[in-house]
Every structure is written in C-alpha cells, then in structure tokens.
Amino acid sequence: MEQQTKTWFITGASQGIGLVLVKQLLANGYNVAATARNLETLKQAVGNSSDQFLLLQMDLVNEESVGKAVDAAISHFKSIDFLVNNAGYGLIAGIEESSNKEVQAQFDVNVFGLH
C-alpha cells in the first residue's frame, strides 16, 4: 500500500520560524503550501520550485483571500494534514502611544486572523 505524503499549510512563511519550518519540511519530503503577502520574497527565500512546494499569496485579514489559498492547497495536494498559523507581527510601542488604527491592524492579524 502506498503511503500518502503529508501536507503542511503554513502562514507567514517568508521569514523567521515559518521560513525555517518550510525549508526543513521540504528537505524531509513533505508537501508544503506556504503563504505570504509577497510571493517574490517567499520564492527567493525558499529557493525551491518542486511540485511539493506551493507558494500562495494570502492576506490573513481577508476571508476571501484565505479561502482561495486553502482551496488552492487542497486542489494541488488533495488535503491539508497540518496547519501552522505563524503569520503575525509585533508593534513596538506602548498602547497609549499607538493609534487606534495601529492597534486594530495588529489585532486583525494576530488575534482575529487566526480563526
């Protein structure tokens, strides 16, 4: 019986922990659907163009964008076995120093974007 290769879906894959995880998983033979806001940055950072690697541009705070990325990953790999919600960012400022827009944007990505 042939064993199916497991598929990972990783958000925030163009730098940091997400990028390291993508590279390690690809090196170990897994399928990886990796998302980023900027595909060119992700493509250059990973340097892999195999059928096991699917680059996806995704805006975490846009439900339609997220849905399209998930659908594309399932269409390409037939399933998603593991999800790593790694996308996010820090705001280096005291809450009283931040504008409402800055705080809302951070919550949209780091809190609401994960559901």
Side-chain angles (χ1 to χ4, degrees):
M1 182 170 100
E2 186 179 317
Q3 185 177 7
Q4 181 184 4
T5 301
K6 299 292 184 183
T7 298
W8 291 70
F9 188 98
I10 303 170
T11 68
S14 63
Q15 60 185 350
I17 294 171
L19 177 58
V20 171
L21 183 59
V22 167
K23 289 179 175 182
Q24 187 66 44
L25 291 169
L26 288 170
N28 285 310
Y30 289 97
N31 294 327
V32 178
T35 73
R37 288 175 290 169
N38 184 318
L39 283 186
E40 193 56 39
T41 302
L42 177 58
K43 185 178 182 179
Q44 289 178 4
V46 175
N48 184 316
S49 61
S50 74
D51 287 339
Q52 288 184 274
F53 180 53
L54 180 63
L55 294 98
L56 298 164
Q57 187 166 1
M58 187 179 82
D59 179 356
L60 195 59
V61 298
N62 180 311
E63 288 186 38
E64 183 179 347
S65 176
V66 173
K68 285 180 180 181
V70 170
D71 290 346
I74 292 171
S75 177
H76 187 81
F77 293 121
K78 309 299 181 224
S79 69
I80 296 172
D81 300 294
F82 305 101
L83 167 65
V84 178
N85 267 327
N86 177 64
Y89 70 95
L91 179 62
I92 303 175
I95 194 76
E96 66 279 357
E97 299 169 340
S98 304
S99 70
N100 288 343
K101 186 176 180 178
E102 290 172 320
V103 173
Q104 184 64 52
Q106 186 173 33
F107 268 78
D108 286 347
V109 171
N110 294 350
V111 178
F112 303 122
L114 298 178
H115 77 280

